[in-house]
């Protein structure tokens, strides 16, 4: 929540950019104090295993964001409840998103929630004051 992250190479990144990368990467987060002392060492996450990715492809059939027609090969797995916040790496907590919509979810007020096993997207209040849920109907059978 500080706003900046540092890779093991020493490169600094905005925390939101690192969260997006961490959605589909093997990372162990560490929080350091002012003197560099470890305050909290997180748990390791892995990329979405092939079995979960296959299930996401079958369910989402591409980017799940409303109106997007990007195919699965252009999509990454996204943790609905962020892994850093205790979200697990599972089909019930994941959605396929293309790079554009993955970035949008991380950098805007759009929210995604799983409703009866279906990813539903809630727009920011400035776009829809009632924040009515939306889903992608392009990729549905």
């Amino acid at each position: 929540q500080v706003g900046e992250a540092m890779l093991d190479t020493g490169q600094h990144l905005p925390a939101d950019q690192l969260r997006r990368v961490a959605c589909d990467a093997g990372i162990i987060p560490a929080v350091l104090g002012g003197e560099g002392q470890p305050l909290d060492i997180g748990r390791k996450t892995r990329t979405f295993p092939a079995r979960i990715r296959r299930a996401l492809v079958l369910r989402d059939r591409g980017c799940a964001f409303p109106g997007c027609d990007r195919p699965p090969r252009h999509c990454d797995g996204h943790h609905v409840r962020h892994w850093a916040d205790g979200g697990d790496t599972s089909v019930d907590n994941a959605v396929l998103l293309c790079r554009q919509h993955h970035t949008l979810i991380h950098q805007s007020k759009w929210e995604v929630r799983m409703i009866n096993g279906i990813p539903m997207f809630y727009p920011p209040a400035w776009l829809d004051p009632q924040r009515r849920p939306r889903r992608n109907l392009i990729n549905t059978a």
Side-chain angles (χ1 to χ4, degrees):
Q1 300 299 324
V2 175
E4 186 176 86
M6 184 175 68
L7 301 176
D8 58 0
T9 63
Q11 179 182 357
H12 291 264
L13 294 174
D16 64 327
Q17 185 178 358
L18 188 64
R19 273 187 218 95
R20 189 173 63 251
V21 170
C23 273
D24 204 17
I27 293 176
I28 300 174
V31 177
L32 304 177
E35 301 295 317
Q37 72 275 23
L39 300 177
D40 182 37
I41 304 296
R43 57 200 165 102
K44 183 176 181 186
T45 185
R46 298 183 189 129
T47 59
F48 285 93
R51 62 183 172 74
I52 292 177
R53 177 150 177 97
R54 283 191 299 271
L56 294 175
V57 167
L58 288 170
R59 185 193 69 204
D60 297 344
R61 299 184 178 161
C63 182
F65 194 86
C68 188
D69 63 356
R70 301 294 290 182
R73 69 181 175 276
H74 293 276
C75 298
D76 296 320
H78 168 74
H79 289 86
V80 174
R81 180 172 182 229
H82 296 296
W83 185 87
D85 296 331
D88 61 343
T89 301
S90 69
V91 174
D92 294 332
N93 188 46
V95 62
L96 285 181
L97 293 172
C98 68
R99 179 161 295 178
Q100 174 187 351
H101 292 120
H102 199 176
T103 300
L104 181 72
I105 291 293
H106 278 279
Q107 295 182 350
S108 73
K109 298 292 185 184
W110 277 90
E111 291 179 44
V112 59
R113 298 181 202 149
M114 298 304 291
I115 307 296
N116 297 321
I118 298 171
M120 300 297 286
F121 294 81
Y122 294 79
W126 64 265
L127 183 61
D128 179 357
Q130 286 140 356
R131 300 200 71 209
R132 290 177 289 244
R134 303 169 185 205
R135 68 181 279 208
N136 191 340
L137 300 175
I138 292 175
N139 294 329
T140 60

